[in-house]
Amino acid sequence: MIWSPESWRNCEARQQPVYPDAEALTAAERELGAYAPLVSIAEVDALSAALAEAQAGRAFLLQGGDCAESFAEFSPANIEANAALLEAMAARIGNASGLDVVRVGRMAGQFAKPRSTAMETRGGVALPAYRGDIVNAIAFDPGARRPDPERMFRAYAQAAATIVRLRARGGFFTSHEALLLPFEEPLVRLDPASRRHYASSAHFLWIGDRTRFPGSAHVEFARGLANPIGIKCGPSLEPEMLRRLLAILDPGRVPGRITLIARLGHDRVEGALPSLLRATAEEGHPVLWACDPMHGNTVRAGAGHKTRPLDLILAEARAFFDIAVADGAACGGLHFEMTGQDVAECTGGGVAPGAVDLADRYHSHCDPRLNPAQAMALADVVAEALSPLPAS
Ligand code: PEP
Ligand code: CO
């Protein structure tokens, strides 16, 4: 198939909302097509170069932020607090490892969420699942849950305002899951100089664990972009499928192009990671291996809130870096969900199991995030794993 920004439309697009008003969707896509790029081509290329350094073992990717950004939590204070936490983690890891730390926010566009079911049923009433503020609203009522293309404009505006703040701090790149294709496609821009297409919604885009299957519209979309691309690698990913994805997404084996984000779970990382590492090593494919110790460690707390025990998060991170360092793999990245607010969403590190059931400290619109103390505990684990051994 010849790639174009819309060639994904010939493939199976999972996890997309069903917009009741198709004309409104088309009109919104057309309008977005005239919007200014949120990121510049030079910045995207700079990130690719920085990730190539990480692949060569000279830099470290630190990628974190909200699971889902929300309209309700948008405030200058929140953006600054998230950025400050990422900077503090970067300083900890950079000082211990001696590596340059490349800071990439799950920020300024991380609005769309994959869901395990298309509909949510409560008390016999079935409504469309909440798919992130860029699609619909979280309240369980028919009006709120109706997918509305106008929400893409508010998401764009919030992303633009966020990026202005991050640029002012310096040294930040942005990223999100390229899930909502009717939003991503109109923001693709052709670079007249190189004749390459760039996503202009963020510097770095990743493909989620639920949308990286054979025949996927999301893989087709990412294939033709010049941006660095991440692939979430969950426990169902077989080494052979990983090889195929690499051949499709990076046939030219471009340094900095592919980051593989392992999110296997504390109990599966030891079983699954070595064969995936072997697959990329045998191919000789330049990739960066990053650890997402969050998404394989989600459990339900007493009253039904999703939570993640810090112990399990730290255990997966330790196991990942032990295995990858011993293997000699380019294991230069950490991908995680955190917030600069003092929430009680993950348990441990000072948050008692019962605390997550109290709504006043649980604000996530999707998955539970690390609070600042918990995030620094994760940074400590990574710093320790990457510290050079003392010369003897
Ligand atoms: C996420 O990063 O929020 C997410 C949904 O991850 P995954 O695709 O790995 O489940
Ligand atoms: Co998440």
Side-chain angles (χ1 to χ4, degrees):
M1 186 172 5
I2 294 180
W3 187 88
S4 72
E6 65 272 355
S7 56
W8 64 268
R9 292 179 189 268
N10 301 317
C11 305
E12 183 187 349
R14 287 192 194 155
Q15 296 286 344
Q16 301 302 289
V18 179
Y19 288 99
D21 186 343
E23 274 175 33
L25 175 62
T26 307
E29 289 169 352
R30 198 172 312 121
E31 191 174 334
L32 273 175
Y35 276 33
L38 291 167
V39 299
S40 76
I41 285 167
E43 289 167 346
V44 174
D45 288 346
L47 178 57
S48 294
L51 293 173
E53 284 295 289
Q55 288 176 347
R58 292 187 289 265
F60 187 83
L61 166 68
L62 191 67
Q63 184 174 30
D66 285 313
C67 180
E69 288 174 289
S70 70
F71 298 164
E73 282 203 326
F74 174 55
S75 75
N78 274 347
I79 298 165
E80 300 291 346
N82 284 6
L85 179 54
L86 207 55
E87 285 165 3
M89 295 174 74
R92 182 74 54 94
I93 293 169
N95 288 338
S97 65
L99 299 170
D100 281 339
V101 179
V102 185
R103 286 165 310 200
V104 178
R106 283 178 65 115
M107 294 173 81
Q110 174 51 25
F111 287 107
K113 298 311 300 175
R115 303 317 303 256
S116 46
T117 53
M119 302 295 284
E120 182 181 347
T121 305
R122 287 194 205 172
V125 180
L127 293 176
Y130 171 63
R131 291 189 176 276
D133 278 5
I134 195 169
V135 172
N136 55 4
I138 199 165
F140 192 76
D141 77 63
R145 289 292 175 90
R146 187 174 194 268
D148 177 1
E150 292 283 315
R151 298 180 77 91
M152 295 196 286
F153 301 123
R154 180 141 177 217
Y156 176 96
Q158 183 169 323
T162 304
I163 233 169
V164 169
R165 286 194 175 272
L166 295 180
R167 284 208 180 95
R169 292 185 84 98
F172 255 104
F173 297 102
T174 63
S175 69
H176 61 260
E177 179 175 350
L179 183 64
L180 185 63
L181 296 174
F183 178 77
E184 300 296 339
E185 179 197 316
L187 291 172
V188 172
R189 298 288 177 269
L190 178 66
D191 173 24
S194 68
R195 307 297 301 164
R196 297 194 302 166
H197 287 87
Y198 285 74
S200 76
S201 61
H203 302 101
F204 177 109
L205 296 176
W206 75 84
I207 305 170
D209 196 47
R210 293 178 178 82
T211 49
R212 49 145 184 81
F213 58 93
S216 149
H218 293 82
V219 172
E220 172 61 18
F221 178 69
R223 175 170 82 87
L225 301 174
N227 306 60
I229 298 295
I231 308 170
K232 288 290 199 100
C233 302
S236 66
L237 181 63
E238 302 283 345
E240 188 46 39
M241 179 55 56
L242 178 55
R243 285 197 180 92
R244 277 172 60 191
L245 285 170
L246 291 174
I248 294 168
L249 286 164
D250 185 27
R253 303 187 168 211
V254 177
R257 161 76 170 167
I258 298 287
T259 299
L260 299 174
I261 306 166
R263 34 85 84 223
L264 297 162
H266 73 284
D267 50 350
R268 305 222 192 171
V269 60
E270 278 163 17
L273 187 60
S275 58
L276 295 174
L277 294 178
R278 211 172 307 125
T280 52
E282 282 168 7
E283 288 295 313
H285 204 117
V287 299
L288 178 65
W289 276 102
C291 170
D292 167 356
M294 313 293 298
H295 286 89
N297 296 308
T298 312
V299 296
R300 294 267 168 199
H305 275 112
K306 281 198 248 179
T307 190
R308 291 165 169 157
L310 181 63
D311 285 355
L312 303 188
I313 293 170
L314 301 185
E316 178 164 357
R318 266 189 212 103
F320 174 93
F321 286 102
D322 281 355
I323 294 167
V325 169
D327 190 90
C331 60
L334 182 70
H335 181 115
F336 52 97
E337 295 178 342
M338 57 75 174
T339 172
Q341 304 169 67
D342 187 25
V343 298
E345 297 175 356
C346 296
T347 56
V351 176
V356 294
D357 289 332
L358 304 173
D360 66 329
R361 285 179 72 206
Y362 196 108
H363 300 287
S364 178
H365 276 55
C366 193
D367 293 334
R369 301 162 295 181
L370 300 168
N371 66 24
Q374 294 166 334
M376 290 312 293
L378 176 59
D380 282 341
V381 161
V382 176
E384 192 179 317
L386 298 180
S387 295
L389 293 174
S392 55

